[in-house]
Amino acid sequence: MDLLKRLGLNKYRIDKSSHIQVNLDICRTCVEKPCIKVCPAGTYERSGDVIEVHYERCLECGAALVACPFGAISFRFPEGGVSFRYG
Amino acid sequence: MSFDADVIVVGGGLAGLSAGIVSNREGLSTLVLERGEYSGSKNVSGGRMYVHALKKLVDIQDAPLERPIVRETYLFRCGSKEVTFSFYDPDSRNSYSVLRAKFDPWLAKKAEEEGVLISYETLVYDAVREGGGVTLRTNRGDLRAKLVIEADGVTAGVSRYLGVRRLDPDFLMLGVKEVVRPEVLPEEGEAKVLVGFLNGLLGGGFVYVNKDTLSIGATVKVSSLQKEKVLAREITEDLREKMGIKGEVLEYSAHLIPYYGFDNLPPLYAPNLLVTGDAAGLLINDGFVIRGMDLAIGSGMVAGQAAKKVLESGDATKTQVYEEMLKESFVMKDMMTARRAFQLMNSERLFKTYPDLLCRVMSRMFTVEGERRRLMDVVREELAGYNLTLSQVLRDLIKVM
Ligand SMILES: Cc1cc2nc3c(=O)[nH]c(=O)nc-3n(C[C@H](O)[C@H](O)[C@H](O)COP(=O)(O)OP(=O)(O)OC[C@H]3O[C@@H](n4cnc5c(N)ncnc54)[C@H](O)[C@@H]3O)c2cc1C
Ligand code: SF4
């Protein structure tokens, strides 16, 4: 099943602004972009030298807090965000 | 400076609710802050709960448990080969499959019935120590308490805000999970452990049978995800396919899991702070069984009792008594027993070499080509291929036992 369809099964109350910030100056110097591999929600997508952040997909797993080995990602939990029906 | 409560519990999951219930029973004014719309809305677990601690906390007769786990199955895979073994005990009632979005609201209701105040949709985003207590900054304004019980889960926000600790990918696993309504539902509660299914990632898979769904997922080391070429978002799909599970996918979720082990535990207390559950790294993962929920409940209960002692002493900065009490409880005793399993889990042997080895040995034992070898000889020969000796393997075996 496609990732976006899977995410669509969850209930989201999306905040107006992103709870994830990226320091693009650091991001530009990173070749591997491990955040893309680590995030289970596909929140990070490569966009040229840097990443684009789809914060509305976030499952709030917390991996974003350590996904970037260079500390380019700052993350705080959203006020709304995802709610699970099963857990 | 005035305080909003004697004790503020941050996080309304299992550890937080347990701490709230006990602290309230101890006669302390207690407030629980939960960022989700309801308890359980943000929580994910495999999940199989060992209920011994829960039973000590509340009456579980009407608990929304899914099924008693009566069958344990281990599946080892290497390529197309597979080794399976299973243990069946129809009378076992010591663990149950659970779904947190159902279970946690039930426990929250129990807590509220006893008079525990829970404030939902309350997100703590900073904490500072001041005026003899802790001020918590939340989306609903500042709240102050002499003592904070941290139960905010694996990301341990409060400890981080207070500068007590940092997070490290080497000590964290990522759990990814799907809930599926299968075309064919097994008749009894079962827990399956899957080894060798994750395309080289360090970790394992699981399948739990619920009342009318299956929970299927995996737990993998974050550092191994950073290194390998496998995408986290494809793990559950791949696993479901490999297991041949067909049916409607109902939910996709993910959550970090602490992976510290007794020897690397983060600080369990600081002035004005007691840390419980996942936030304190209190989770046992011996490669076969993940136990976080009963330790969360157990540590929460101890924290509630310790809160009383700390506040009675008149000095809320003297929180060490909590660690002393934890050491006396099953929580620390079991963490201690499992300490060597964590050492082994940090090596690749458990996830890669042993499943391979098992398949090769089995494969040779079941292949008859004229000359029949003794099992021990086959094992020795295969071990040599991995530069391992029998005594090393035995030592490892003893570690996980
Ligand atoms: C995939 C997976 C499989 C697992 N399998 C098992 C299993 O089979 N058996 C088992 O026993 N354990 C299992 N675990 C582990 C188990 O889920 C945890 O150990 C347990 O949930 C820990 O409970 P807790 O109360 O400490 O934390 P949590 O359950 O994470 O609760 C923390 C609570 O705090 C809230 N919170 C967080 N931050 C804030 C904030 N800043 N402000 C306000 N509220 C906040 C959250 O919304 C949440 O409700 C598994 C975990 C995962 C992810
Ligand atoms: S918290 Fe998890 S789901 Fe959200 S962006 Fe970070 S890694 Fe992705």
Side-chain angles (χ1 to χ4, degrees):
Chain A
M1 193 182 193
D2 168 46
L3 174 70
L4 292 183
K5 273 207 193 117
R6 262 185 289 149
L7 294 171
L9 299 169
N10 299 327
K11 188 178 145 205
Y12 282 98
R13 226 178 55 225
I14 293 162
D15 285 11
K16 284 196 196 73
S17 57
S18 175
H19 59 284
I20 305 166
Q21 250 70 49
V22 181
N23 180 330
L24 293 183
D25 291 334
I26 302 178
C27 186
R28 222 178 291 283
T29 62
C30 166
V31 185
E32 287 270 324
K33 310 262 189 273
C35 57
I36 297 174
K37 292 187 271 184
V38 169
C39 174
T43 301
Y44 311 105
E45 273 182 343
R46 193 180 274 275
S47 165
D49 286 349
V50 293
I51 52 165
E52 194 179 339
V53 180
H54 304 283
Y55 76 95
E56 69 288 350
R57 296 184 190 175
C58 176
L59 288 167
E60 297 166 35
C61 71
L65 285 159
V66 293
C68 176
F70 310 107
I73 295 175
S74 43
F75 174 94
R76 63 179 256 187
F77 286 119
E79 269 190 48
V82 73
S83 284
F84 297 121
R85 285 184 302 141
Y86 295 90
Chain B
M1 192 175 275
S2 71
F3 295 102
D4 296 288
D6 294 330
V7 176
I8 297 184
V9 181
V10 181
L14 295 179
L17 292 169
S18 309
I21 289 172
V22 172
S23 153
N24 181 59
R25 281 182 194 160
E26 294 281 356
L28 305 173
S29 75
T30 308
L31 178 60
V32 178
L33 310 179
E34 166 55 48
R35 73 186 183 91
E37 256 180 276
Y38 48 89
S39 278
S41 64
K42 305 273 188 194
N43 308 63
V44 180
S45 88
R48 172 225 202 128
M49 186 192 284
Y50 293 87
V51 289
H52 61 108
L54 180 67
K55 277 186 183 161
K56 292 212 178 76
L57 180 66
V58 289
D59 177 5
I60 68 162
Q61 265 192 0
D62 61 340
L65 302 167
E66 293 290 313
R67 290 198 195 202
I69 301 293
V70 294
R71 189 184 293 278
E72 318 260 358
T73 301
Y74 291 80
L75 269 142
F76 296 83
R77 214 183 235 198
C78 31
S80 55
K81 298 192 186 82
E82 197 169 286
V83 179
T84 308
F85 55 90
S86 210
F87 170 68
Y88 179 60
D89 173 5
D91 303 322
S92 175
R93 292 293 177 272
N94 80 103
S95 74
Y96 292 79
S97 49
V98 291
L99 293 166
R100 297 289 296 277
K102 284 195 213 162
F103 185 84
D104 290 28
W106 170 83
L107 190 59
K109 189 156 159 279
K110 287 255 175 197
E112 283 169 331
E113 281 167 6
E114 289 192 25
V116 178
L117 277 176
I118 308 178
S119 177
Y120 296 104
E121 297 187 355
T122 307
L123 171 73
V124 174
Y125 60 80
D126 203 2
V128 283
R129 221 179 256 114
E130 59 182 14
V134 173
T135 303
L136 298 165
R137 308 232 185 279
T138 85
N139 57 336
R140 297 175 182 270
D142 288 359
L143 290 163
R144 292 189 186 83
K146 286 177 219 160
L147 195 61
V148 168
I149 297 181
E150 176 172 18
D152 51 5
V154 54
T155 54
V158 176
S159 279
R160 285 187 292 118
Y161 305 142
L162 291 174
V164 183
R165 68 181 273 214
R166 302 161 60 104
L167 295 175
D168 180 338
D170 280 329
F171 294 131
L172 297 167
M173 295 186 106
L174 176 68
V176 285
K177 177 185 173 187
E178 285 180 5
V179 176
V180 180
R181 183 174 291 127
E183 282 169 8
V184 193
L185 191 76
E187 271 167 25
E188 288 181 294
E190 180 177 12
K192 280 193 180 132
V193 176
L194 318 176
V195 186
F197 282 69
L198 298 177
N199 306 322
L201 290 173
L202 299 186
F206 59 82
V207 181
Y208 296 111
V209 179
N210 304 316
K211 271 192 183 132
D212 45 30
T213 56
L214 295 179
S215 296
I216 172 164
T219 61
V220 296
K221 292 193 75 177
V222 172
S223 49
S224 118
L225 268 169
Q226 287 171 322
K227 271 185 238 135
E228 302 285 336
K229 293 259 171 281
V230 186
L231 294 175
R233 63 196 199 208
E234 286 168 3
I235 293 174
T236 53
E237 291 299 285
D238 181 52
L239 203 57
R240 183 155 39 74
E241 233 160 75
K242 280 186 182 141
M243 291 297 292
I245 294 173
K246 296 208 165 48
E248 187 190 356
V249 178
L250 302 172
E251 181 164 277
Y252 173 55
S253 59
H255 204 280
L256 281 184
I257 302 168
Y259 187 67
Y260 292 84
F262 184 83
D263 296 304
N264 297 302
L265 277 181
L268 301 170
Y269 65 93
N272 311 89
L273 182 73
L274 312 180
V275 194
T276 64
D278 276 11
L282 298 170
L283 182 134
I284 293 172
N285 184 342
D286 61 8
F288 303 113
V289 170
I290 295 187
R291 275 177 57 195
M293 293 192 271
D294 62 321
L295 277 78
I297 293 170
S299 60
M301 289 169 70
V302 174
Q305 288 161 353
K308 171 79 169 176
K309 285 210 170 161
V310 172
L311 292 176
E312 259 176 4
S313 81
D315 183 351
T317 62
K318 297 232 153 44
T319 44
Q320 190 180 350
V321 64
Y322 170 56
E323 189 173 58
E324 288 157 18
M325 290 169 74
L326 262 189
K327 279 192 183 139
E328 294 303 311
S329 74
F330 81 89
V331 177
M332 252 350 168
K333 287 184 181 152
D334 288 6
M335 285 293 299
M336 181 95 106
T337 311
R339 74 196 294 180
R340 286 185 307 181
F342 274 87
Q343 293 164 5
L344 175 61
M345 292 277 291
N346 276 319
S347 77
E348 299 205 349
R349 284 208 293 282
L350 190 74
F351 297 116
K352 288 188 174 156
T353 312
Y354 287 147
D356 256 15
L357 187 70
L358 187 63
C359 286
R360 291 181 70 98
V361 171
M362 288 293 173
S363 187
R364 284 183 56 184
M365 289 313 290
F366 290 111
T367 310
V368 178
E369 284 173 336
E371 185 203 2
R372 186 72 177 152
R373 307 286 305 277
R374 283 173 52 231
L375 173 65
M376 227 39 223
D377 295 336
V378 172
V379 170
R380 280 217 182 81
E381 272 178 36
E382 289 296 336
L383 282 175
Y386 293 95
N387 275 328
L388 282 170
T389 60
L390 196 57
S391 64
Q392 220 168 348
V393 176
L394 286 176
R395 269 204 302 276
D396 282 348
L397 202 64
I398 289 164
K399 278 183 190 166
V400 290
M401 296 294 256

